[in-house]
Amino acid sequence: MSSRTLVLGGARSGKSAHAEGLLTEAAVTYVATARRYPDDPDWDARIALHVARRPSTWHTVEASAPADLPALLTATQYEDPPILVDDLSTWLVGVLDDADAWEGDGAEAIAGDIDAIVRSVATCRARLVLVTAEVGLGVIPSTRSGRLFRDHLGALNARVAEVCDEVTLLVAGIPLKLR
């Protein structure tokens, strides 16, 4: 049976670096879920920092379309290298973007994508480490789209945590083992 680990944390909490440190194998499949935006050099710089930190032996796969990530996880075999997904919150942003859900409720439009990712995590046969933002510790967003994202990410995190063997929360760079 493979092991599934969920690493949660706030912005700049060290969650990605912690998740990377959990994998000591030379070969790792790093799944990047962030989309690149042509007019956002700050975002490009953040992505570049993540790329520079990864060992050269790790293989990077970009899974920026909602269906990419569940398909990749479902296709795994026991002998495959470990997989690190960084991160579920940027994956959810893509799901909401593609469903044009920001100004409306969006729950029905994205329910299938969320069900698919939870099923694929539960059935992934390779060692799996997932990174996601913890939204329960933040300020209540003042916009409809902010609340939509917070609510869906909180529900997604809870569902993924249910199917993971280990759950760790990063606070101020300190890992707190929840399960």
Side-chain angles (χ1 to χ4, degrees), residues 39-123:
D39 297 331
D40 194 344
D42 177 61
W43 189 242
D44 286 340
R46 288 172 183 255
I47 291 172
L49 286 173
H50 278 251
V51 171
R53 190 172 60 214
R54 292 196 291 267
S56 62
T57 57
W58 287 17
H59 172 68
T60 300
V61 175
E62 293 192 11
S64 56
D68 290 350
L69 184 56
L72 183 138
L73 298 180
T74 301
T76 59
Q77 300 301 315
Y78 290 109
E79 63 274 5
D80 287 345
I83 298 170
L84 172 63
V85 176
D86 197 357
D87 75 41
L88 290 178
S89 47
T90 55
W91 175 83
L92 180 61
V93 168
V95 170
L96 291 165
D97 281 348
D98 290 353
D100 291 326
W102 292 109
E103 296 307 317
D105 177 38
E108 290 180 26
I110 68 168
D113 291 314
I114 290 176
D115 289 344
I117 195 65
V118 173
R119 271 192 314 275
S120 67
V121 168
T123 60

